[in-house]
Amino acid sequence: MALIVKKFGGSSVATPDKMRAIVQRVLKGKQPGDKIVIVVSAMGDTTDELVALAKQITSKTYGREMDMLLTTGEQVSIALMAMAFQEAGQKAISFTGAQAGIKTSDAFNKGRILELEPDRIMEALDDGNIVVVAGFQGITGHGDITTLGRGGSDTTAVAIAGAIHADVCEIYTDVDGVYTSDPRIVPNAKKMKEITYGEMLEMAKLGAGVMQPRAVEMGSRFNVPIHVRSTFSEDEGTIIKEDCSMELKQYLIRGVASDKNVAKITVLGIPNKPGYAYKIFAELAEKHVDVDMIVQSVRIAKEGVTDITFTIARTELAEAKDVLAGIRKEFPVEDILIDDKMAKVSVVGAGMAGHPGIAAGMFGVLGDKGINIEIISTSEISITCLIGEESVDTAVKAIHAHFFD
Ligand code: ADP
Ligand code: ASP
Ligand code: MG
């Protein structure tokens, strides 16, 4: 008897036929006594379409109303999936995030799961149901509906798997596993048999969209093995877990990731005195704008001022601009420059520490391709370069070829 959470992404549930195919596959694989929770995303590109619909009303972000709108996508999927199971003779029940006991922080558009009370899920499972839960959503302590950030259905699935102590959380998607790079960019990328939570988290944070970073964090916290695999084939996918085999530990580099959702902001001529960096970043934080790379440089020629460059998600540029307009009124700055056509390319691998050749190799490839590096940042297990968006696919292909071919 197994307890399994299976998550199906948007492309997997894009049409009623695809939903029926999932029902058939789940029922074929189900052993008597197995308990199964299905987490689903909105059908196809529904979430993008709802975002576009809101843009026809306003260019501003009304957080609460946006979440009210976006969560409707997943609600359509759960109802249809539960009906499809029932049509096939299987007892099933659908739950929204709130009904599934998913409590989040108050941050609209990027709620964090604070608590998950799985009693209702467990009762329904004990009653012989397949339980179908809406991904990507939860509810605050005040009863407001929230979303968990784009790609958040992964996090719903892993959080439920953790809360009900599932044997495994299976993430069904349109690729058959985690690859050494996005196979849409690098067609000869290689599928990994397994990868550690740490390396997968770094890949995901640096743009490998196959898993939401918080889902990987959640898997690590509750020690739930995550199996990323294809909806459209029976092949084994990639297992994300704590410890990988010795053979895999020998890799210096595990993957190459990229992220185009990047904007660079430079604030020129800030007073070079204590407290000014704090003012800027505290106000950005208050508006929930996540700052990523930060570089501050003191100008030698002109004393008394400094320049700060930082990057944020391009999708948060409107909020950042509001904050910066406020800052200009508070204290003098020379200028604020914004470049919203930036991207990051990164190499990830737990084995790279103590191998300076990796950084040199990456920078050499970019130099050979004539790609200028604007900012470099490193962690224990990754190196990231900020470059122009127009060059990022070329950079990913060339860096991947350098390390893997
Ligand atoms: P879903 O809708 O099922 O959640 P996503 O589009 O969010 O699917 O994630 C799957 C996509 O992630 C793939 O189609 C692939 O293009 C992309 N991707 C990015 N990096 C990787 C990687 N390293 N390995 C596999 N897929 C990746
Ligand atoms: N439907 C949401 C999105 O497109 C959540 C998800 O698919 O994971 O981001
Ligand atoms: Mg996804």
Side-chain angles (χ1 to χ4, degrees):
M1 194 198 96
L3 182 54
I4 308 175
V5 177
K6 295 171 185 269
K7 178 255 168 178
F8 294 89
S11 51
S12 308
V13 294
T15 63
D17 280 343
K18 287 187 171 165
M19 290 183 174
R20 265 192 289 269
I22 290 172
V23 166
Q24 289 312 317
R25 180 167 177 182
V26 169
L27 294 181
K28 201 171 125 211
K30 185 176 180 294
Q31 304 295 321
D34 279 357
K35 291 182 174 169
I36 297 174
V37 177
I38 306 279
V39 173
V40 281
S41 295
M43 294 170 74
D45 296 327
T46 301
T47 310
D48 290 334
E49 286 158 16
L50 292 170
V51 170
L53 197 57
K55 285 216 173 100
Q56 290 183 39
I57 297 281
T58 174
S59 58
K60 292 199 200 129
T61 307
Y62 293 95
R64 181 182 184 281
E65 306 314 325
M66 203 59 199
D67 282 355
M68 191 65 90
L69 177 68
L70 295 189
T71 48
T72 61
E74 271 68 15
Q75 209 166 320
V76 170
S77 299
I78 53 169
L80 293 175
M81 279 297 286
M83 289 180 207
F85 275 111
Q86 292 179 40
E87 278 290 292
Q90 166 66 50
K91 258 178 100 173
I93 184 168
S94 64
F95 289 143
T96 62
Q99 290 171 328
I102 299 175
K103 302 264 161 43
T104 74
S105 61
D106 284 339
F108 292 113
N109 309 160
K110 40 174 145 174
R112 274 183 172 271
I113 299 179
L114 299 177
E115 215 186 313
L116 206 160
E117 286 165 8
D119 306 9
R120 200 153 173 208
I121 294 179
M122 292 310 293
E123 275 165 30
L125 287 172
D126 290 342
D127 230 14
N129 287 287
I130 283 190
V131 175
V132 186
V133 180
F136 179 52
Q137 55 175 261
I139 194 155
T140 68
H142 304 299
D144 283 323
I145 296 172
T146 47
T147 59
L148 308 178
R150 296 303 305 266
S153 299
D154 297 334
T155 303
T156 306
V158 181
I160 292 175
I164 67 173
H165 306 289
D167 301 301
V168 62
C169 180
E170 297 177 334
I171 303 286
Y172 288 86
T173 182
D174 59 359
V175 270
D176 58 359
V178 180
Y179 280 69
T180 49
S181 196
D182 187 341
R184 284 191 221 180
I185 303 173
V186 183
N188 67 339
K190 294 171 188 66
K191 187 165 102 183
M192 304 175 193
K193 260 190 154 155
E194 40 186 52
I195 180 169
T196 59
Y197 293 119
E199 285 172 313
M200 188 65 232
L201 178 59
E202 197 76 357
M203 291 271 290
K205 279 186 182 166
L206 294 171
V210 61
M211 285 292 295
Q212 201 196 36
R214 282 193 196 150
V216 186
E217 253 164 18
M218 201 72 87
S220 167
R221 179 154 13 123
F222 295 109
N223 206 12
V224 182
I226 302 170
H227 186 175
V228 179
R229 57 191 309 185
S230 169
T231 305
F232 310 110
S233 90
E234 301 279 339
D235 294 349
E236 284 284 300
T238 302
I239 309 280
I240 309 170
K241 57 181 190 167
E242 190 62 55
D243 256 331
C244 291
S245 60
M246 279 316 286
E247 178 205 334
L248 292 165
K249 282 187 180 153
Q250 286 160 12
Y251 284 102
L252 294 181
I253 298 292
R254 289 295 273 145
V256 182
S258 62
D259 186 355
K260 293 183 183 166
N261 182 19
V262 182
K264 181 185 74 169
I265 298 174
T266 303
V267 187
L268 290 170
I270 305 163
N272 190 20
K273 292 184 198 143
Y276 282 94
Y278 166 75
K279 276 183 208 278
I280 297 175
F281 294 111
E283 295 203 19
L284 287 165
E286 195 175 309
K287 289 274 155 33
H288 301 288
V289 178
D290 285 327
V291 175
D292 184 17
M293 300 164 133
I294 305 176
V295 178
Q296 172 172 319
S297 49
V298 182
R299 282 191 244 160
I300 307 295
K302 188 175 172 197
E303 282 186 16
V305 293
T306 178
D307 306 326
I308 295 183
T309 299
F310 57 93
T311 63
I312 59 167
R314 206 178 290 170
T315 40
E316 295 180 356
L317 195 51
E319 288 81 1
K321 281 181 177 170
D322 278 351
V323 170
L324 293 167
I327 279 172
R328 276 197 124 145
K329 290 188 193 132
E330 259 186 73
F331 57 85
V333 300
E334 281 170 13
D335 205 358
I336 295 176
L337 311 175
I338 293 174
D339 188 338
D340 65 356
K341 297 270 179 313
M342 300 303 298
K344 291 189 297 187
V345 58
S346 307
V347 293
V348 174
M352 72 165 72
H355 288 84
I358 303 291
M362 181 183 188
F363 304 157
V365 171
L366 292 173
D368 287 346
K369 290 282 169 194
I371 298 170
N372 190 43
I373 305 172
E374 300 225 3
I375 300 179
I376 298 165
S377 72
T378 60
S379 80
E380 293 257 296
I381 62 167
S382 66
I383 303 166
T384 299
C385 296
L386 185 73
I387 61 175
E389 181 189 357
E390 70 290 348
S391 312
V392 72
D393 288 356
T394 308
V396 170
K397 286 189 188 104
I399 293 169
H400 189 276
H402 176 80
F403 288 111
F404 289 97
D405 291 351

